[in-house]
Amino acid sequence: MQAKKRYLLVSVGAGLLLLVYLWGLQIGEFHPQPYQYHQYHQQDYQYYQQSQEFYRPQPQPRPQRGPSRQPRHWPESSDLLEPYLEGGEQEEDSPLLHHQHTSPRERRAIRDNIYKNRRCRMDTCFDFSRCQSGFRVYIYPPQRGEEISESYQKILSSIEESRFHTTDPSRACLFVLAVDTLDRDQLSAQYVQNVRSRIQSLPTWSDGRNHLIFNLYSGTWPEYTEELGFEVGQAMLAKASVDVGNFRPNFDVSIPLFSKDHPQKGGGKGYLMLNDVPSSRKYLLVFKGKRYLTGIGSETRNALYHIHNGEDIILLTTCKHGKDWEKHKDSRCDRDNEEYSKYDYQELLHNSSFCLVPRGRRLGSFRFLEALQAACIPVLLSNGWELPFSEVIDWRKAAVIGDERLLLQVPSITRSVGRDRILALRQQTQFLWDAYFSSVAKIVLTTLEIIQDRVQTHVSRSRLLWNSLPGGLYALPQFTTDPGLFPFYYAMLGKSPSQQFTAVIHAVSPLQSQISPLVKLIIAVAKSKFCAQMVVLWNCDRPFPPSSKWPSTSVPLTVIQGQAKTMSSRFFPHDVILTDAVLSLDEDSVLSTNEVDFAFTVWQSFPERIVGYPARSHYWDGARSRWGYTSKWTNDYSMVLTGAAFYHRYYHYLYTHYVPAGLLTMVDRMANCEDILMNFLVSAVTRQPPIKVTQKKQYKETMMTQGSKASRWADPDHFAQRQTCMNAFSSWLGCMPLVHSQMRLDPVLFRDQVSILRKKYRDIERL
């Protein structure tokens, strides 16, 4: 009898153990998978208050509670925190419940179907042999009746107007679809049907190899997965809201989510001046947006009310959106909606130091670009989001990368950032906005430049070029991969430009005598102690004179025969020019040696700008709704003509290889405006005005009466053409880059009532 009882107890115990084991397996199946983190999405915030720098924490064991714990660091935790939502709301809104009928194997199958070639990299899924003749991009011609959204048309137009575009598919390195793939939400009116059959019929599709596909929206309600509805194969994706788990590093490109109203060119300027003070604003942290009551993306936004204090932290949400929002409204909806209407969104943006950017239905959000433009430091709460252009942009210098699970620590994190650090972060937001995000064209060009750097790895940009002014789009690595040879980084790297210059004289008239203005100019410039060599660009129709006709100088004199004899050829990057500084001169310029020396001394302090003598200005003609050009003698100017000016030799390369061929053809056809175009280019790069040196009222473009040609300044159409050029150039850039200035730099003691013997540049006052 006792044995039977023992046998019965053992059987019951074994049965209970089996039930517990099976129950544990079932619970494990529904246990949420840990987030996969990008290099910026670490286990926790970590901020060191003394140096006010963000450090990337390395994976470490969870610290023990005790007196040895470092008080200056936020606690690290690898466990999910308890949800902030109340019980009823958690049951209704939790996104985890969408997987309650899906096994881990089924979820993996869905993910693997989205990216069947998830291991694609440049060396395995890209044909480099197509790029031997250069990096060219071909857009397939649209099919008859093809409907293209406004946003995708902006993308295609930006490519067509870039220097990468080609109409010859045999020369293409990269192919872009004419099929609109931006919106792959099946519930959207912009959803394009039959994309799979359309791309499979393309003659050069080849399973997507060397193809680039743009996408802003993927998946649909309720999961909002990254399903596109067709197989991308070996094509690269330029995708918004991409998850780090699906992102193929150094192959795909993460782009920002932008609205259909985002401008194609130009774009709005940032709201922060370079040295704007005070660095802090009225509010510390703000957010205003939708609150999702059900479905994915609802958990974080539903918890924002926990840290809203109504004083310096203003986090406003509304559930009043969608057709049936009242069916799902909770106890907080009415109160939230009432407070939501009390604040203006733009007023919050422009008066807050930090802007919360929580995930929405998808990982990306329009709030991200809005915060950048407003100089409001983004505080990102979107676990697993591969940040836009993260391959080249260091977001730690412009944003706070948070964790959705640690929402309650956000106020303490933002309060611990010092004012000097806040100012540095805000300035970086403005740089990134202006350089890469202010227009669709910049987003597209940044994407193409990143891919070009992968293709031409031997001339790719460093992260310094991408994350410092003027940015990667204007720092062409084909010129040099050494940052120290660009004019923008001398101060940052503790370097200085070379101590000599090369004079480049543009000659279009025959050399008839030893007293011609060209000969006098050569003699005066050659006497400068800073002159290393002189180059004469002979664009005259007549053959250039023999060496015996040229004046003897103490520096080398090189005459280059112009092949095309065009106006743009004066800015060609000739190999003979070895110095950093270039003195650009018209043949009829009148300069003394003292003027040359002083202007070069000024340029050495401003090597990224144009420094010279003849100044001009622009204005807005309201009556004609266009930009105007004026040569009136005023204290205000925005251009320094290249007939007598110093600038860095890099601008020769940028002018030749960056400016669209159509604008260069326009300049050459009119034989005019090349100096205006150079000013537009330099101002667009530096966002600063040129510098005018000592005023010389005697300076004027002399009328050339030698030979049969008169100076172009005597042409009555010359001024009208320059008006036309102003508007063509601003249309190319999408904005007016020229900046007005009233600054003029004179020598020390200039015009002072002291002895002339005490003055270094004595001849300038007598001119």
Side-chain angles (χ1 to χ4, degrees):
M1 190 67 182
Q2 295 295 330
K4 289 183 178 181
K5 289 183 178 180
R6 287 196 296 270
Y7 178 79
L8 181 62
L9 289 174
V10 170
S11 300
V12 172
L16 290 174
L17 288 175
L18 179 62
L19 289 175
V20 170
Y21 174 75
L22 294 177
W23 180 76
L25 289 179
Q26 185 177 8
I27 294 299
E29 180 177 344
F30 298 128
H31 189 75
Q33 299 295 322
Y35 285 101
Q36 290 179 316
Y37 287 90
H38 184 261
Q39 60 177 336
Y40 301 137
H41 299 279
Q42 301 293 342
Q43 292 179 343
D44 201 346
Y45 295 94
Q46 192 174 31
Y47 186 76
Y48 188 50
Q49 295 178 341
Q50 288 184 346
S51 62
Q52 294 182 345
E53 292 289 340
F54 289 97
Y55 291 89
R56 183 187 305 172
Q58 300 297 326
Q60 299 175 356
R62 186 177 181 181
Q64 301 295 324
R65 298 177 183 270
S68 61
R69 186 174 179 179
Q70 295 295 327
R72 290 186 178 273
H73 297 275
W74 297 106
E76 297 180 350
S77 173
S78 59
D79 298 331
L80 290 172
L81 298 182
E82 292 296 326
Y84 306 121
L85 305 178
E86 299 172 359
E89 294 172 353
Q90 170 69 14
E91 182 179 354
E92 178 185 16
D93 295 340
S94 175
L96 302 178
L97 296 180
H98 292 303
H99 296 306
Q100 60 182 339
H101 303 298
T102 307
S103 69
R105 179 178 297 177
E106 291 172 330
R107 293 198 295 273
R108 286 194 299 270
I110 293 174
R111 185 172 66 249
D112 293 341
N113 183 58
I114 298 174
Y115 291 98
K116 289 186 176 180
N117 294 276
R118 58 187 303 108
R119 294 187 178 181
C120 267
R121 299 297 183 267
M122 293 295 291
D123 55 346
T124 59
C125 297
F126 193 87
D127 185 2
F128 287 89
S129 64
R130 283 188 170 274
C131 309
Q132 293 179 354
S133 61
F135 186 75
R136 297 287 181 269
V137 183
Y138 175 77
I139 301 177
Y140 288 101
Q143 299 179 5
R144 180 177 300 178
E146 190 85 61
E147 293 185 2
I148 298 179
S149 65
E150 182 180 354
S151 295
Y152 197 59
Q153 185 58 57
K154 291 177 181 178
I155 290 177
L156 298 183
S157 298
S158 299
I159 298 175
E160 290 172 346
E161 296 175 8
S162 73
R163 68 183 189 280
F164 302 118
H165 182 247
T166 180
T167 56
D168 183 0
S170 64
R171 298 184 58 206
C173 170
L174 194 65
F175 296 83
V176 175
L177 305 178
V179 181
D180 188 349
T181 57
L182 285 189
D183 194 341
R184 302 306 298 159
D185 187 340
Q186 297 180 14
L187 300 180
S188 171
Q190 302 292 336
Y191 183 81
V192 178
Q193 303 287 343
N194 304 320
V195 170
R196 178 180 302 178
S197 60
R198 294 186 186 186
I199 62 177
Q200 293 291 343
S201 63
L202 297 175
T204 55
W205 173 245
S206 186
D207 195 30
R209 184 171 287 243
N210 288 58
H211 282 68
L212 177 64
I213 296 175
F214 288 90
N215 175 255
L216 294 181
Y217 306 97
S218 60
T220 188
W221 191 90
E223 295 289 348
Y224 291 96
T225 65
E226 298 191 27
E227 174 65 49
L228 299 179
F230 63 93
E231 296 178 6
V232 300
Q234 300 180 28
M236 289 181 284
L237 280 177
K239 191 176 187 309
S241 305
V242 62
D243 188 278
V244 65
N246 295 323
F247 183 75
R248 297 171 291 182
N250 296 317
F251 191 74
D252 294 332
V253 180
S254 177
I255 63 175
L257 183 65
F258 59 87
S259 69
K260 63 179 181 179
D261 298 324
H262 206 55
Q264 179 184 337
K265 298 180 182 179
K269 293 184 178 180
Y271 292 94
L272 177 69
M273 302 302 294
L274 187 61
N275 294 310
D276 188 19
V277 288
S279 57
S280 59
R281 293 177 170 180
K282 178 180 179 181
Y283 302 111
L284 175 69
L285 178 69
V286 300
F287 171 77
K288 186 178 182 181
K290 298 177 182 178
R291 176 164 69 89
Y292 306 111
L293 298 175
T294 59
I296 191 170
S298 60
E299 192 171 40
T300 300
R301 297 196 179 196
N302 274 334
L304 296 182
Y305 76 96
H306 285 286
I307 60 175
H308 166 79
N309 62 17
E311 297 176 358
D312 62 342
I313 298 180
I314 308 296
L315 305 179
L316 308 171
T317 59
T318 179
C319 50
K320 191 177 181 180
H321 57 88
K323 297 180 180 179
D324 55 350
W325 69 272
E326 292 185 347
K327 296 180 181 179
H328 303 282
K329 64 183 297 186
D330 56 22
S331 59
R332 296 203 329 268
C333 273
D334 292 335
R335 182 174 66 254
D336 288 352
N337 292 341
E338 180 181 356
E339 193 165 6
Y340 185 88
S341 60
K342 294 180 181 179
Y343 293 86
D344 178 73
Y345 178 58
Q346 293 298 325
E347 191 269 340
L348 289 175
L349 268 182
H350 300 141
N351 289 279
S352 180
S353 298
F354 296 89
C355 283
L356 197 67
V357 184
R359 65 160 297 158
R361 291 300 194 191
R362 298 173 177 86
L363 293 175
S365 168
F366 292 137
R367 299 291 183 273
F368 182 64
L369 291 187
E370 293 168 351
L372 286 183
Q373 183 181 11
C376 190
I377 304 166
V379 179
L380 306 178
L381 293 180
S382 185
N383 289 6
W385 181 23
E386 183 75 22
L387 297 181
F389 305 137
S390 56
E391 182 177 337
V392 296
I393 293 179
D394 186 356
W395 283 108
R396 295 170 301 172
K397 296 181 178 180
V400 176
I401 315 299
D403 189 322
E404 294 179 67
R405 302 166 301 174
L406 303 176
L407 174 66
L408 297 182
Q409 293 185 359
V410 170
S412 300
I413 293 293
T414 52
R415 293 188 194 281
S416 67
V417 183
R419 289 196 172 192
D420 54 344
R421 181 62 177 167
I422 289 177
L423 180 58
L425 289 168
R426 291 178 59 201
Q427 288 176 340
Q428 191 70 1
T429 64
Q430 298 303 270
F431 157 65
L432 294 176
W433 165 260
D434 290 333
Y436 307 119
F437 299 108
S438 62
S439 67
V440 175
K442 289 181 179 178
I443 294 173
V444 172
L445 289 177
T446 303
T447 302
L448 297 180
E449 293 283 6
I450 290 174
I451 298 174
Q452 183 188 31
D453 279 1
R454 298 173 185 168
V455 174
Q456 302 173 352
T457 55
H458 60 291
V459 288
S460 60
R461 299 166 179 82
S462 66
R463 289 181 73 88
L464 173 64
L465 301 186
W466 283 109
N467 292 278
S468 305
L469 287 168
L473 299 186
Y474 286 124
L476 303 186
Q478 291 77 16
F479 172 75
T480 180
T481 57
D482 182 3
L485 297 181
F486 288 95
F488 323 113
Y489 309 112
Y490 288 135
M492 183 185 303
L493 300 176
K495 296 185 177 181
S496 300
S498 57
Q499 301 301 306
Q500 292 182 306
F501 68 84
T502 298
V504 179
I505 304 176
H506 186 229
V508 296
S509 301
L511 185 64
Q512 294 184 341
S513 68
Q514 291 296 316
I515 60 173
S516 64
L518 176 58
V519 173
K520 293 180 179 179
L521 181 62
I522 292 175
I523 294 174
V525 175
K527 291 180 180 179
S528 171
K529 61 183 179 181
F530 303 112
C531 184
Q533 61 176 336
M534 303 193 68
V535 176
V536 177
L537 302 178
W538 190 259
N539 279 349
C540 181
D541 294 335
R542 299 183 185 181
F544 64 86
S547 57
S548 59
K549 295 291 185 180
W550 295 97
S552 59
T553 60
S554 58
V555 297
L557 176 63
T558 304
V559 181
I560 298 178
Q561 178 74 40
Q563 298 295 327
K565 292 182 171 56
T566 60
M567 297 305 297
S568 294
S569 64
R570 71 180 301 174
F571 298 134
F572 186 81
H574 294 284
D575 294 336
V576 70
I577 303 175
L578 302 177
T579 60
D580 292 332
V582 174
L583 173 57
S584 177
L585 296 166
D586 287 341
E587 62 182 357
D588 54 355
S589 298
V590 181
L591 288 177
S592 69
T593 305
N594 269 186
E595 288 178 297
V596 172
D597 288 348
F598 175 65
F600 178 69
T601 302
V602 173
W603 177 85
Q604 287 181 302
S605 298
F606 305 94
E608 75 282 5
R609 302 205 220 177
I610 298 178
V611 176
Y613 288 94
R616 298 291 183 268
S617 188
H618 75 285
Y619 65 95
W620 176 252
D621 188 346
R624 300 183 181 181
S625 297
R626 67 175 189 177
W627 293 105
Y629 171 89
T630 178
S631 58
K632 290 183 178 180
W633 195 273
T634 66
N635 292 327
D636 188 273
Y637 67 93
S638 58
M639 292 173 280
V640 168
L641 304 186
T642 55
F646 282 96
Y647 51 79
H648 198 278
R649 69 186 178 99
Y650 172 63
Y651 293 125
H652 277 179
Y653 188 90
L654 198 63
Y655 183 97
T656 303
H657 297 284
Y658 184 84
V659 176
L663 289 184
L664 298 181
T665 301
M666 171 186 172
V667 167
D668 295 338
R669 184 181 66 252
M670 295 191 303
N672 197 352
C673 302
E674 82 289 349
D675 49 357
I676 297 179
L677 182 55
M678 178 60 84
N679 273 270
F680 266 73
L681 182 62
V682 176
S683 291
V685 172
T686 63
R687 302 188 178 277
Q688 294 179 348
I691 293 179
K692 177 172 174 52
V693 289
T694 306
Q695 195 83 348
K696 186 170 73 170
K697 289 202 173 186
Q698 289 81 357
Y699 181 90
K700 58 183 178 181
E701 296 80 7
T702 58
M703 298 292 295
M704 297 295 294
T705 57
Q706 305 175 27
S708 58
K709 285 189 175 181
S711 171
R712 54 178 178 159
W713 301 97
D715 185 353
D717 295 330
H718 179 78
F719 191 82
Q721 290 175 344
R722 294 172 84 77
Q723 299 272 13
T724 302
C725 291
M726 295 282 294
N727 293 277
F729 300 160
S730 61
S731 176
W732 160 52
L733 293 169
C735 63
M736 170 52 70
L738 298 180
V739 181
H740 286 281
S741 176
Q742 295 183 348
M743 182 177 74
R744 189 187 80 198
L745 297 183
D746 298 333
V748 176
L749 301 179
F750 180 71
R751 299 294 186 189
D752 285 358
Q753 301 299 319
V754 297
S755 171
I756 194 69
L757 299 177
R758 297 177 58 187
K759 301 182 180 183
K760 183 175 181 179
Y761 303 100
R762 303 169 187 174
D763 294 342
I764 293 182
E765 294 194 18
R766 294 196 289 264
L767 297 174

